Amino acid sequence: MNIPRIVLIFCTASILLTSCFSKKAGNAEQIGTLISEKKDVVFEGENFDSVVRFVNQTGAVSEAAGIYRQNIAGAVSFRKCIFKDDVIAYISEGGKTYLSSFARQVNFDSCVFYGKVNFRGSTINGLVNFKNCVFLAEANFEEIQCMSGAWFAKSHFDGEVRFHNSYFNRRVNFMDVTFDSTTSFQSSFFNQEAQFSVTKYWQYADFSLCHFNQGVFYNYATFHKRALFNNSTFRERAEFLRTEFKHDLQMKECKFYGRVKFNDMSVQDGLHMENSVFFMDKPDFSSVKAKVNTDNARFYTGASVN
């Protein structure tokens, strides 16, 4: 990551610190008490200096051999809070794994995370909201199950981001998000509309083996390094209007069941669509600024294929 963007990130965090947040000290231990009492966890404008834990070895119950799960009954809501240390909803140690289940919403609105954020394997039944947040370290959302909507719009991820094998049951919104480091959604399932328009990917981005059950949108997004979509399935429309790829775009062995729009898309090092299948007419490549390789690709006209 270059120096100007480092300055921008820390300026953004500084503005949130000085103008949007109070100086009230949050009590991380109080969160554990509220969870054990099955009460809502609600904080606004507070600074947490120590690790915030949603899961612990004593509160979790056995789910399978070596797997334990902490059940959080109340809603979780943090607004304009600062987390100086890690935020943990997943533990793996001593051959045992501890996961979290949230019965209601998980809301982090306009928060700053200085430490690692780990919600790996969490099940969240209510709305998931991480809008307008700044993540200054690694963020791990692998295998997360979001049963309601999930919103990450206008957030900034400075560290590596992992959403491998995640499940989004309702609409998901990553619009206008900036990813500064490696980003992976490999093998994720999007059951409803997925919005990735105006996103910026400064490093490698992996959307291979994904399943998009409804429309997916990458309009006006920018990929500065290689982008992978190989072996993904697009059940309805897929849009890449004026999307800019400054490296190569890999879409090999994909299945497109709906209409695909590549209007005014640019790919600096070539669009690779070898062995892909299009069940709803051949896309219009006339305005694509790239060398397009469709070797062994198959195109069907007006077909209805299950």
Side-chain angles (χ1 to χ4, degrees):
M1 183 175 65
N2 59 39
I3 297 301
R5 286 192 296 114
I6 293 175
V7 173
L8 176 61
I9 295 167
F10 281 94
C11 283
T12 301
S14 297
I15 291 170
L16 290 171
L17 281 167
T18 58
S19 64
C20 298
F21 298 88
S22 73
K23 301 297 182 182
K24 185 178 178 181
N27 186 343
E29 293 183 0
Q30 185 183 357
I31 296 171
T33 301
L34 292 169
I35 290 172
S36 64
E37 295 176 352
K38 299 183 179 181
K39 295 181 179 179
D40 292 346
V41 178
V42 181
F43 293 89
E44 181 171 354
E46 300 197 22
N47 299 348
F48 295 89
D49 292 326
S50 57
V51 176
V52 170
R53 300 179 186 274
F54 292 99
V55 61
N56 61 72
Q57 290 90 333
T58 57
V61 297
S62 179
E63 185 173 83
I67 300 176
Y68 301 82
R69 189 173 292 274
Q70 176 91 41
N71 294 303
I72 296 96
V76 174
S77 181
F78 296 87
R79 185 172 182 271
K80 294 184 178 179
C81 291
I82 299 166
F83 301 89
K84 297 291 184 65
D85 210 323
D86 297 345
V87 176
I88 296 174
Y90 171 90
I91 301 172
S92 181
E93 60 183 24
K96 297 180 179 179
T97 299
Y98 300 86
L99 308 169
S100 300
S101 283
F102 298 85
R104 297 172 62 189
Q105 71 171 15
V106 173
N107 176 54
F108 289 85
D109 186 0
S110 303
C111 293
V112 178
F113 302 92
Y114 281 87
K116 295 179 181 179
V117 175
N118 195 339
F119 280 82
R120 180 175 180 177
S122 293
T123 298
I124 305 175
N125 289 299
L127 180 68
V128 178
N129 178 34
F130 282 87
K131 288 192 304 182
N132 199 36
C133 289
V134 177
F135 298 80
L136 295 169
E138 176 186 295
N140 190 340
F141 294 92
E142 293 181 57
E143 300 163 353
I144 193 171
Q145 295 190 60
C146 299
M147 305 311 295
S148 297
W151 302 85
F152 291 81
K154 296 184 181 297
S155 285
H156 196 131
F157 293 87
D158 183 45
E160 182 181 355
V161 184
R162 294 199 295 274
F163 279 92
H164 308 329
N165 298 300
S166 294
Y167 176 79
F168 299 96
N169 190 49
R170 298 290 179 86
R171 292 180 63 189
V172 58
N173 191 320
F174 284 87
M175 191 169 184
D176 200 15
V177 171
T178 298
F179 298 97
D180 280 326
S181 299
T182 301
T183 304
S184 180
F185 285 83
Q186 187 184 89
S187 299
S188 290
F189 190 101
F190 300 86
N191 195 42
Q192 292 191 7
E193 180 182 298
Q195 180 61 261
F196 290 92
S197 295
V198 205
T199 48
K200 299 175 184 65
Y201 305 85
W202 286 91
Q203 299 297 329
Y204 174 87
D206 188 353
F207 287 88
S208 59
L209 295 164
C210 285
H211 188 108
F212 300 96
N213 211 34
Q214 291 191 7
V216 57
F217 306 89
Y218 289 89
N219 301 330
Y220 298 92
T222 304
F223 294 78
H224 288 265
K225 300 294 183 180
R226 169 170 286 184
L228 280 181
F229 287 83
N230 295 335
N231 299 103
S232 288
T233 299
F234 302 82
R235 297 296 305 188
E236 292 191 5
R237 63 175 173 162
E239 292 189 3
F240 295 82
L241 308 182
R242 296 195 176 182
T243 311
E244 185 176 9
F245 296 88
K246 296 190 175 183
H247 206 278
D248 62 327
L249 171 56
Q250 301 278 336
M251 283 186 152
K252 299 177 182 179
E253 299 187 39
C254 290
K255 293 181 180 178
F256 297 91
Y257 290 87
R259 297 196 182 278
V260 187
K261 293 185 178 181
F262 293 128
N263 302 45
D264 298 308
M265 183 178 79
S266 64
V267 188
Q268 184 169 317
D269 293 334
L271 169 57
H272 297 272
M273 307 196 78
E274 296 94 315
N275 299 301
S276 289
V277 183
F278 298 83
F279 295 106
M280 186 65 73
D281 302 331
K282 184 175 181 178
D284 182 2
F285 295 109
S286 63
S287 65
V288 175
K289 303 174 183 66
K291 180 180 179 181
V292 181
N293 189 334
T294 56
D295 289 351
N296 299 314
R298 288 174 287 165
F299 303 96
Y300 299 91
T301 301
S304 178
V305 181
N306 295 320

